[in-house]
Amino acid sequence: MYNMTIRLQADSDVCLYEQIYLHIKREIKEGKLLAGERLPSTRSLAEFLQIARSTVDTAYGQLLDEGYIEARPCRGYFVCSIEDMMEVSDEEESQTLQREPLSSISRTEAEEGISMLPGNREGAKRKKFDVDFSPYDIEMQGFPFDTWKRITKKILSEANSDLFARGEPQGDYELRQTLCRYLHSSRGVKCRPEQIIVGAGNDYLLMLLEKILGRHKIVAMENPTYLRSQKIFRSFAYQIKSVDMDEGGMKVDSLEEDGADVVYVMPSHQFPSGTIMPIGRRNELLKWAGKAAGRYIIEDDYDSEFRYHGRPIPALQSSDESGRVIYLGSFSKAIAPAIRVSFMVLPDVLLERYQRDCFFYSCTVSRIDQSILNEFIRDGYFERHLNKMRKIYRAKHAQLLACLEPFRGRFAITGENAGLHLLLTADSATEDWLVGAASDCGVKVYGLSQYRSDQSDVSKTVLLGFGALSGEQIAEGIRRLRVAWNI
């Protein structure tokens, strides 16, 4: 029989039965407890640890449920044989083993729906890169884990039955009040809490928006653009019109010819081009929307918090006087992708449609998560977190620009005023060659053509994201690119 030595910590946040469960599970996984080996009885282990027998019973019960141990009648508890435990196949392991550390939470190419696009040299085949300049990843080492855990513990300890009851379809009113104040102070958004709808990610909010706007819409989108949103619109059977951009963003003069009903734009920091739409072009867009009934602008304000020069750019919605802008925001970049909380601000006309036609859709965000986020923003933790992350990203941004100085003779560097990526446009080399040469040196860069709805133009531009990379990784990645591109 295995001689169980467990050091229980009475002052730990982890309850005693869970400490026992985790210890035995770890011993089995590490091969220190062998298949067929007998465990101490619950009575003897409880006496040895000087705890209640029910605590050991609970731990053993959990191990039984998960298949780590088995109970043999009149004999006791035994470790299950390895053959009886579910194992991950080599193929499955290759897909899950290379998980990123906490410093980078990634939205993979498959998740973004771009891995099979033309122009992607790798296609569905995955390759492990030493340095990945992903424009999606963010820095997670700066996440305020202690604060988040403390708020969570406080909310759960003070929770009553109301917190576990069905909430409001639009999201808890307290959170919407907090969001209303935050959006007004930080982005100039003009709204009431009643206009805000909270949902689990932009995907859900766009699907809800389809129910509000109705079917058979023509949606104009910037080209290049965030293709995930485009795929969602196509799933509604919406007709998509791709509108080319210039240095001011989407060319508004083509919207009349395209017959668009809805325009989807990212005016404060367009993805992936990094373009910031100037006030003149914004006024053109608002004027277009006001010319006919039923025209609306969807403003996706996905990462406006991170700007490195000058004051933050006000939201397009802040200039909307006729109720034509639908404002979308998210905490995926500002806090963490796993938070899965987004919000939508509806104009009054669409709010009436929502209350008439979509009131029966339940909110998709847990009320506990809403309460945690509400306190995180309301009590100033979010603002302090943003200030910290701006400082971290500003340092990475400055280092990347400094490392790219030798590239300026052969590349134009754009999109460097905001966000977590910038663009390099070559004077002669093609995107395909740039991506391939970088890949051969173990560096992943992202071609601009991946985000275009067509492949008619031969791109010479690649994206370099720096959000999740350390200073050493940035320096090493640029060093390898200099070798790969003969800089």
Side-chain angles (χ1 to χ4, degrees):
M1 183 169 66
Y2 183 77
N3 184 18
M4 191 76 67
T5 302
I6 305 176
R7 294 182 178 86
L8 297 180
Q9 299 178 3
D11 58 347
S12 172
D13 291 336
V14 181
C15 53
L16 294 179
Y17 94 84
E18 192 170 0
Q19 293 182 47
I20 298 170
Y21 154 77
L22 291 172
H23 175 85
I24 297 175
K25 179 179 176 180
R26 184 167 55 248
E27 295 282 278
I28 294 173
K29 284 185 151 187
E30 294 176 355
K32 296 175 182 177
L33 270 171
L34 303 178
E37 195 160 5
R38 183 182 175 186
L39 298 179
S41 68
T42 56
R43 183 187 299 275
S44 62
L45 183 56
E47 290 177 352
F48 176 74
L49 297 175
Q50 294 294 294
I51 59 175
R53 183 178 177 182
S54 60
T55 303
V56 181
D57 282 333
T58 304
Y60 276 26
Q62 184 68 29
L63 292 164
L64 278 168
D65 291 341
E66 294 186 16
Y68 287 99
I69 65 175
E70 61 180 353
R72 299 178 186 175
C74 304
R75 297 187 60 192
Y77 296 95
F78 294 80
V79 178
C80 287
S81 63
I82 297 299
E83 289 77 11
D84 293 337
M85 296 176 69
M86 184 181 70
E87 295 185 282
V88 180
S89 68
D90 290 340
E91 181 179 353
E92 290 171 325
E93 184 172 295
S94 67
Q95 296 174 354
T96 59
L97 187 60
Q98 305 296 340
R99 298 189 180 217
E100 295 295 330
L102 286 176
S103 61
S104 60
I105 293 184
S106 173
R107 294 191 288 171
T108 62
E109 286 183 342
E111 187 180 352
E112 292 305 311
I114 61 176
S115 62
M116 296 299 292
L117 288 175
N120 187 343
R121 291 171 57 94
E122 295 171 9
K125 184 179 179 180
R126 295 301 182 86
K127 176 180 177 179
K128 178 65 178 178
F129 292 93
D130 297 319
V131 181
D132 186 348
F133 283 102
S134 169
Y136 311 116
D137 298 356
I138 67 171
E139 172 66 68
M140 286 302 298
Q141 292 294 350
F143 183 81
F145 291 101
D146 291 340
T147 301
W148 199 266
K149 286 189 289 186
R150 185 169 64 252
I151 295 174
T152 302
K153 186 175 181 179
K154 173 178 176 289
I155 288 196
L156 290 176
S157 65
E158 297 177 354
N160 53 37
S161 58
D162 291 341
L163 188 62
F164 296 92
R166 184 187 297 274
E168 299 177 68
Q170 291 179 233
D172 285 355
Y173 191 79
E174 286 188 6
L175 174 59
R176 289 186 281 133
Q177 276 186 315
T178 300
L179 288 174
C180 190
R181 290 192 295 268
Y182 167 71
L183 290 174
H184 181 69
S185 63
S186 66
R187 307 292 297 118
V189 172
K190 299 175 292 187
C191 68
R192 308 181 311 280
E194 291 78 12
Q195 294 176 259
I196 297 177
I197 299 175
V198 176
N202 282 11
D203 296 3
Y204 165 76
L205 293 177
L206 289 177
M207 288 188 284
L208 184 61
L209 191 56
E210 186 259 349
K211 306 300 180 185
I212 300 170
L213 292 174
R215 300 179 179 178
H216 313 299
K217 298 296 181 182
I218 300 176
V219 180
M221 301 187 72
E222 300 153 317
N223 190 27
T225 190
Y226 180 48
L227 290 183
R228 186 179 184 88
S229 295
Q230 187 180 95
K231 288 177 179 291
I232 292 171
F233 287 132
R234 288 194 187 280
S235 73
F236 305 153
Y238 280 1
Q239 186 178 351
I240 306 297
K241 296 289 186 178
S242 295
V243 181
D244 288 334
M245 301 170 60
D246 57 20
E247 64 279 359
M250 174 183 281
K251 297 178 179 179
V252 179
D253 52 8
S254 64
L255 294 178
E256 294 286 354
E257 182 181 341
D258 290 334
D261 305 299
V262 179
V263 171
Y264 176 91
V265 291
M266 294 165 273
S268 295
H269 186 240
Q270 203 273 344
F271 184 87
S273 71
T275 300
I276 297 173
M277 186 179 288
I279 188 64
R281 186 64 56 86
R282 292 176 180 227
N283 288 337
E284 287 181 47
L285 196 55
L286 290 169
K287 185 177 179 181
W288 165 85
K291 282 183 177 180
R295 287 181 177 178
Y296 291 98
I297 302 166
I298 301 174
E299 178 182 11
D300 188 346
D301 201 12
Y302 71 100
D303 75 344
S304 59
E305 292 86 1
F306 304 117
R307 181 167 169 78
Y308 308 114
H309 301 287
R311 296 174 59 84
I313 305 297
L316 176 64
Q317 196 266 6
S318 66
S319 302
D320 179 25
E321 299 295 339
S322 56
R324 298 306 179 103
V325 177
I326 303 161
Y327 182 86
L328 284 178
S330 169
F331 293 100
S332 293
K333 290 275 190 180
I335 301 180
I339 298 299
R340 299 303 298 158
V341 178
S342 295
F343 50 88
M344 175 168 64
V345 179
L346 291 177
D348 284 327
V349 172
L350 296 184
L351 178 62
E352 291 176 7
R353 291 189 201 172
Y354 165 81
Q355 293 172 337
R356 183 190 66 214
D357 301 331
C358 304
F359 66 92
F360 51 85
Y361 286 100
S362 298
C363 182
T364 52
V365 180
S366 157
R367 295 194 67 198
I368 295 174
D369 291 338
Q370 292 185 62
S371 298
I372 295 169
L373 181 60
N374 176 59
E375 190 162 321
F376 187 70
I377 300 172
R378 183 196 65 202
D379 293 351
Y381 298 112
F382 181 48
E383 188 62 34
R384 289 195 286 273
H385 172 64
L386 282 180
N387 290 336
K388 177 181 178 180
M389 296 312 298
R390 287 189 189 105
K391 184 177 180 180
I392 291 174
Y393 289 138
R394 187 177 290 110
K396 294 184 180 186
H397 176 264
Q399 181 183 359
L400 181 56
L401 285 176
C403 290
L404 288 173
E405 279 301 317
F407 290 68
R408 289 192 181 274
R410 292 171 49 187
F411 290 84
I413 302 174
T414 56
E416 70 272 23
N417 290 325
L420 303 181
H421 74 275
L422 48 78
L423 297 89
L424 296 183
T425 301
D427 56 2
S428 58
T430 65
E431 172 197 304
D432 193 56
W433 182 85
L434 294 170
V435 172
S439 177
D440 292 340
C441 288
V443 178
K444 174 71 172 174
V445 298
Y446 294 73
L448 185 64
S449 65
Q450 296 184 28
Y451 308 97
R452 293 189 64 87
S453 58
D454 59 71
Q455 300 295 315
S456 57
D457 295 332
V458 178
S459 172
K460 299 179 180 180
T461 303
V462 295
L463 281 70
L464 299 182
F466 56 86
L469 297 179
S470 66
E472 292 77 10
Q473 288 174 314
I474 291 174
E476 176 63 16
I478 298 302
R479 185 192 67 80
R480 294 193 187 195
L481 289 182
R482 291 188 65 177
V483 173
W485 297 343
N486 303 314
I487 303 298

